[in-house]
Amino acid sequence: MLGLHGAMVAQGYDDVEGDVIERVRAIVGPKCVIGVELDPHCHLTIKRLTHANVIILYKEFPHTDVVERAEEVVEIVLKTIRGQVKPVMSVYDCRQVGSYPTTEPMMRAFVDRMSAMEGKNGVLSISIGHCFPYADVAELTGRILVVTDNDKAGADKLARTIGEEFVSMRGKTAPPYLDVESGIGAAIEFNDAPVVMADPADNAGGGAPSDNTTILRRLIERKVESACLGPIWDPIAVKLCFAAGMDAEFPLRFGGKISPSSGQPIDATVKVIGLKRDCWQSFGPTQVPMGDCAAIRIGGVEVVLITNRTQALGLELFRNVGIEPTKKKIVAVKSTNHFRAAYGPIAKKVIYIDSDGPLSRDYRKIPYTKIQRPIWPLDENTQPGLIF
């Protein structure tokens, strides 16, 4: 049993988890049953499919079903060992890169239909591989994985049917994105609260620094009131806030440190309004550590500074340091879609902003060098089809 993410890339090793599964197979031999659970933002490589008996991906984005999918892997592996099933896998390569949040209507309905097919007509599992768009690897693409009970022809047919539907959804599954000015304007004009603004381009979960200052700077410059933003990853600024102490007011330079895409640092006189050691935030049943955290106020904007780099997940991000997000007009979070699990229920409106952070929502702007072409949206004409 292997619980992996599936998009790990190391220098010189483009398919780390594939190498792990291949090495495990070499150790345990051909008769051992290998079951693998992966994140849907994985790369469903041929190497992984060749050396595993069954692979299952989480269905939800945000990933709220990790435990349920793990239990499915365990169940299928045990049934395989007992001779009750013989899993076979088929994969359809959709030749596309996209964003597929299951909080949006089209993907919600699509995933629900796939789930309803499982357990019928010999179908053991259906997985939708989103891929991780910001990895420059050859097998970067959306793929559909179908696992049946010893019915390869049936698996091939179903994978093709689902894959063709997935291809037909190109460009329709992601929510609309606004630029920074339009997004802030829409949040201010909306006649209810809170409005949650997401900044996916500076999402630490996708590899960004999480210290981009563009949205924050405009909130301050526009003198927006009743706003909070987090997280900004700046361990040095956190230490300075702890040294200054609660209620201290002092000039602080923070954010904008890691790369040109981080923007310029914010220079402002801030007030320390919250300090807490060893913080964490919830993500489903798990607790994600954030280290020491500090909250500062600049005008009408309150900012959470963190020590351990991570994206916005749970409401504890703000509540740890005394900020109540439900009482704010605007709550700005650095996250692509995982924030929806906790912030979706409190939001009267959700706005997605494509800032100037490093993770552009336009995949055509990413300077790929290894990705197999043609692939949408880099290329208009592609050749989807069964590959396994």
Side-chain angles (χ1 to χ4, degrees):
M1 299 295 305
L2 299 172
L4 306 171
H5 181 277
M8 187 190 301
V9 178
Q11 192 70 32
Y13 299 89
D14 285 357
D15 185 10
V16 176
E17 285 97 343
D19 293 344
V20 169
I21 297 169
E22 181 181 48
R23 184 66 60 87
V24 169
R25 176 59 74 194
I27 293 170
V28 302
K31 294 183 180 180
C32 181
V33 180
I34 297 178
V36 182
E37 181 186 30
L38 295 174
D39 188 300
H41 296 104
C42 69
H43 305 129
L44 272 174
T45 66
I46 297 298
K47 180 182 285 188
R48 302 174 194 195
L49 296 162
T50 300
H51 295 291
N53 295 88
V54 59
I55 297 175
I56 289 179
L57 280 52
Y58 324 148
K59 286 182 169 60
E60 302 296 337
F61 177 34
H63 306 326
T64 55
D65 61 331
V66 178
V67 173
E68 291 83 355
R69 300 291 80 75
E71 290 171 346
E72 283 186 16
V73 177
V74 172
E75 181 180 5
I76 293 175
V77 167
L78 289 174
K79 285 183 177 180
T80 304
I81 292 170
R82 295 167 183 156
Q84 297 170 313
V85 298
K86 185 179 180 181
V88 296
M89 297 187 288
S90 294
V91 172
Y92 186 91
D93 189 345
C94 300
R95 305 306 304 146
Q96 63 192 46
V97 181
S99 179
Y100 313 103
T102 57
T103 45
E104 296 297 305
M106 180 171 281
M107 278 304 295
R108 177 74 272 141
F110 186 64
V111 169
D112 288 345
R113 288 200 306 277
M114 301 310 103
S115 298
M117 295 180 189
E118 296 175 328
K120 303 172 184 176
N121 303 314
V123 178
L124 299 177
S125 173
I126 299 172
S127 294
I128 303 161
H130 301 193
C131 86
F132 179 63
Y134 304 104
D136 187 13
V137 297
E139 291 186 75
L140 171 66
T141 174
R143 289 175 171 174
I144 301 297
L145 166 62
V146 173
V147 186
T148 62
D149 182 9
N150 200 28
D151 182 6
K152 179 60 174 168
D156 285 350
K157 182 178 179 181
L158 185 56
R160 180 182 290 108
T161 299
I162 297 171
E164 289 174 351
E165 181 178 353
F166 199 44
V167 170
S168 75
M169 294 160 57
R170 286 176 178 175
K172 304 173 185 176
T173 57
Y177 289 85
L178 301 177
D179 60 38
V180 173
E181 291 301 321
S182 300
I184 294 175
I188 294 171
E189 293 166 9
F190 187 71
N191 192 28
D192 206 347
V195 177
V196 176
M197 297 194 315
D199 180 13
D202 194 32
N203 169 25
S210 194
D211 73 338
N212 179 278
T213 57
T214 302
I215 293 175
L216 174 58
R217 185 180 302 279
R218 289 303 294 141
L219 289 172
I220 295 170
E221 290 173 346
R222 293 181 65 160
K223 295 181 170 55
V224 174
E225 294 291 329
S226 188
C228 60
L229 180 145
I232 293 280
W233 178 50
D234 194 331
I236 302 301
V238 171
K239 288 183 178 181
L240 291 171
C241 289
F242 270 90
M246 275 292 291
D247 298 321
E249 294 189 48
F250 69 107
L252 178 67
R253 169 171 285 191
F254 64 97
K257 287 184 171 61
I258 301 304
S259 73
S261 63
S262 297
Q264 291 298 308
I266 299 288
D267 290 306
T269 297
V270 307
K271 181 175 182 178
V272 180
I273 60 171
L275 297 168
K276 188 172 182 180
R277 302 280 187 189
D278 299 321
C279 295
W280 56 266
Q281 60 178 333
S282 59
F283 183 46
T286 63
Q287 294 183 352
V288 178
M290 297 186 295
D292 297 343
C293 294
I296 55 176
R297 180 184 295 134
I298 310 103
V301 183
E302 297 174 352
V303 182
V304 178
L305 307 172
I306 64 172
T307 299
N308 293 347
R309 188 169 67 95
T310 184
Q311 65 178 298
L313 298 168
L315 299 175
E316 299 90 351
L317 168 66
F318 294 101
R319 289 174 174 169
N320 283 328
V321 285
I323 300 172
E324 179 47 58
T326 59
K327 298 186 181 302
K328 296 297 183 183
K329 166 65 175 176
I330 295 175
V331 180
V333 293
K334 292 181 179 291
S335 174
T336 299
N337 206 57
H338 285 331
F339 74 93
R340 287 296 294 259
Y343 292 84
I346 72 165
K348 295 298 191 295
K349 183 180 182 65
V350 175
I351 296 172
Y352 293 85
I353 293 178
D354 193 5
S355 73
D356 55 351
L359 305 182
S360 173
R361 308 309 294 165
D362 185 350
Y363 306 120
R364 294 168 298 182
K365 295 180 180 178
I366 300 172
Y368 297 113
T369 61
K370 298 180 182 178
I371 190 171
Q372 293 176 357
R373 306 283 292 266
I375 189 168
W376 184 90
L378 280 64
D379 307 292
E380 194 61 36
N381 297 316
T382 61
Q383 298 175 322
L386 285 167
I387 59 167
F388 187 87

